[in-house]
Amino acid sequence: MAHNTRDVVIAHRSDSSSVDDRAHHTDRAAPEPTSNPHITALHITTATGWTGRVWLLLVVLAGALFLDGLDISMVGVALPSIGEDLHMGQSQLQWIVSGYVLGYGGLLLLGGRASDLFGRRRVFLVALGVFGVASVASAVVDINAVIIALRFIKGIAAAFTVPAGLSIITTTFAEGPARNKAFSIYTVCGASGFSLGLVFGGLLTELSWRATLLFPGPVALALLFAGLRVIPAAPRTPMHWRQFDALGALTSTGALLLLVFAVVRAPEVGWTAPVTIASFAASAILGVAFVAVEFRHRHPLVRPGILRSALLVHANLSGALMFGGYVAFQFVATLYLQDSLGWSPLGMALAFLPAGVIVVASATRMDRVLDRVPTPLLLVAGFASFLGGYLWFSRVQPGMSYAEFLLPTIILLGVGFALTFPSINSQGTAGVADYEQGLASGLVNTSVQVGGAVMLAIITAILASSGVTQQHGQLLGGMSTAIWVVSALAVVGLFGALVASWWSRRLPVGA
């Protein structure tokens, strides 16, 4: 059926009142201004007929998320080369990944709150610029501690771009088919970054491991300049520093840092050593302090009431389990394929390519799937795929061919990622008011990154504590235990998804 108007409703400029409300309640599309690229507000109400500006906006937002995922997995492929060149052991190497993940996960809640208070457009663009500059800087230094510090800074920048970008989507695209389409493209791009990062990492590491650190920089800066043209500006609201929960950010970040530090150091100094016990105790104390701060602060990072939604809580737990298992598996597989089997980075990249192809191919269909299938049911299928992939890999023995031990695993992981990643983000932000979309998206991504950081530390500890000297062509010490732990995470995620699916069917319509 032909339409005489476009689906994009453009609100008045920022000096008008109730901008978002009027955009929500009008069905008529105003002419798109061509002289000023900084449109005040967009509200997309259907899933068809999007303008070029809308698509470019989605490219910028999804591109930033793609870089975040790409950075984590791409650098993971380069870890053996980095370790050999800079003489870093497994415990030090994991901090190149964990430094990024900790900055990311530790400050995501603050990033979500900042986007709500300071403006999503401003926060997104500034953080994207910092991410680009830190990427370039990390590629030209040789000091281990400086590289890790720059990775931490990049993680902090990502902690501000992700919730800001996700809340721009949720406040721009109306809930329903339009938002599902935007979500499916956005989140599949993030999943594609994780899966294709292995491919990009292998290709770039063939040139130099420094190329894996450098690559995200120029891309981020290009997205920044495009974003200046197409990201809509929101009306400014008065903000006071007392609204900023800095104490909550410090306690939550400190608790996470100490937890990961304790798990990583324990195999070296002993699980009952004073420093290990003190680190765990301090982490627990800071965690309790964070909860106390959130209940007392007038503008908490996490409003306790938002956690009353069982499906929102389930989405966050699923994100932690899904990404924690995936990051841990990738770390083990990378070390095994390159250090033990002697595969080149390019060979490993090609081996992981099918997963990336599956995730990318799903981008054009996931919006229709989300429209028709409940997210808990999609998570059941996704975790079942992850579990099948991990269990298949657990059969690995020296001398097995790629088709015997890895190809089926890669295909199942690609299917799992394609199903779970969009579902977790959609379920974690559904039904949340616009003014708390930054908080909701920050919660989801915090859970994802915290799961990754903690599980990577645990798996590193398992490998390091095995006491087995690595021999060419043989399994890594502690490798079998590590894969069974990862499989157990998928089992927990599958069980939780089954419970959530049953629970959602019992909810009354409209609840």
Side-chain angles (χ1 to χ4, degrees):
M1 181 175 64
H3 294 273
N4 294 323
T5 58
R6 290 174 306 195
D7 61 304
V8 181
V9 177
I10 302 172
H12 296 292
R13 300 188 180 280
S14 58
D15 56 353
S16 301
S17 61
S18 305
V19 172
D20 291 334
D21 288 342
R22 283 199 302 272
H24 270 279
H25 292 95
T26 179
D27 294 321
R28 185 179 58 185
E32 183 175 344
T34 57
S35 59
N36 186 354
H38 301 307
I39 299 175
T40 301
L42 292 173
H43 191 69
I44 290 85
T45 57
T46 77
T48 59
W50 292 358
T51 65
R53 184 182 296 278
V54 172
W55 280 110
L56 184 56
L57 169 65
L58 203 52
V59 166
V60 171
L61 300 176
L65 185 65
F66 178 85
L67 284 182
D68 295 335
L70 185 80
D71 195 282
I72 295 174
S73 58
M74 183 168 61
V75 171
V77 178
L79 289 180
S81 298
I82 296 174
E84 182 179 357
D85 197 13
L86 299 182
H87 308 292
M88 300 174 71
Q90 285 185 1
S91 296
Q92 286 182 299
L93 279 177
Q94 73 93 25
W95 278 106
I96 292 180
V97 177
S98 291
Y100 181 93
V101 172
L102 286 173
Y104 197 169
L107 291 173
L108 264 166
L109 294 177
L110 186 61
R113 185 63 176 153
S115 69
D116 291 335
L117 293 176
F118 292 106
R120 301 170 181 107
R121 181 179 189 272
R122 179 188 304 170
V123 169
F124 180 87
L125 293 175
V126 171
L128 191 58
V130 172
F131 184 93
V133 172
S135 296
V136 175
S138 65
V140 298
V141 297
D142 290 314
I143 303 173
N144 298 352
V146 174
I147 292 176
I148 293 172
L150 286 169
R151 297 284 299 165
F152 184 70
I153 291 172
K154 287 182 66 175
I156 293 175
F160 286 82
T161 60
V162 169
L166 191 55
S167 59
I168 289 171
I169 286 180
T170 55
T171 53
T172 300
F173 296 84
E175 190 165 356
R179 185 179 296 180
N180 284 342
K181 181 177 180 179
F183 256 139
S184 66
I185 296 170
Y186 178 76
T187 55
V188 168
C189 281
S192 300
F194 292 125
S195 53
L196 290 179
L198 300 172
V199 179
F200 277 88
L203 294 172
L204 292 173
T205 304
E206 289 289 336
L207 299 175
S208 169
W209 59 263
R210 294 185 185 276
T212 64
L213 301 179
L214 174 65
F215 178 77
V219 179
L221 296 176
L223 292 174
L224 169 62
F225 288 115
L228 288 169
R229 307 283 302 176
V230 298
I231 297 179
R236 295 183 182 181
T237 56
M239 196 284 297
H240 303 284
W241 281 106
R242 64 176 178 272
Q243 294 176 270
F244 224 38
D245 185 9
L247 186 58
L250 289 173
T251 52
S252 61
T253 304
L256 178 59
L257 283 169
L258 285 169
L259 173 62
V260 175
F261 175 79
V263 174
V264 172
R265 287 294 306 279
E268 301 176 18
V269 300
W271 289 95
T272 58
V275 65
T276 302
I277 296 174
S279 297
F280 278 124
S283 175
I285 291 171
L286 286 176
V288 172
F290 171 69
V291 174
V293 167
E294 299 312 281
F295 274 100
R296 295 174 61 89
H297 201 283
R298 293 185 62 184
H299 304 280
L301 285 181
V302 180
R303 181 178 63 83
I306 200 172
L307 299 178
R308 292 173 185 166
S309 169
L311 290 178
L312 183 146
V313 172
H314 172 249
N316 281 267
L317 293 175
S318 296
L321 292 168
M322 179 274 294
F323 192 63
Y326 176 78
V327 169
F329 172 81
Q330 179 189 314
F331 186 72
V332 173
T334 298
L335 294 179
Y336 175 63
L337 294 177
Q338 294 193 49
D339 288 353
S340 179
L341 300 186
W343 287 26
S344 69
L346 179 58
M348 181 177 169
L350 295 176
F352 278 86
L353 181 59
V357 172
I358 291 171
V359 174
V360 171
S362 70
T364 59
R365 299 182 180 273
M366 275 307 296
D367 62 313
R368 283 170 279 181
V369 175
L370 288 169
D371 284 338
R372 299 171 183 174
V373 184
T375 51
L377 195 56
L378 291 174
L379 291 173
V380 169
F383 275 111
S385 296
F386 277 117
L387 178 59
Y390 299 145
L391 291 178
W392 189 277
F393 187 84
S394 69
R395 303 163 48 257
V396 63
Q397 293 295 329
M400 278 188 170
S401 67
Y402 168 69
E404 288 181 289
F405 81 97
L406 190 56
L407 179 59
T409 292
I410 295 304
I411 292 174
L412 288 168
L413 295 188
V415 172
F417 235 124
L419 292 173
T420 58
F421 210 75
S423 302
I424 288 168
N425 280 276
S426 179
Q427 183 174 305
T429 55
V432 178
D434 280 358
Y435 71 92
E436 284 194 321
Q437 282 293 333
L439 168 59
S441 60
L443 274 174
V444 171
N445 285 284
T446 296
S447 299
V448 168
Q449 299 304 323
V450 167
V454 173
M455 280 310 303
L456 180 59
I458 291 174
I459 294 302
T460 302
I462 291 173
L463 296 179
S465 61
S466 68
V468 177
T469 302
Q470 177 59 46
Q471 297 182 8
H472 180 73
Q474 301 300 311
L475 301 182
L476 302 175
M479 178 173 161
S480 296
T481 302
I483 296 301
W484 282 112
V485 170
V486 170
S487 300
L489 291 183
V491 171
V492 175
L494 177 59
F495 177 76
L498 287 169
V499 172
S501 181
W502 172 82
W503 174 262
S504 64
R505 292 177 183 179
R506 293 174 57 89
L507 292 176
V509 177

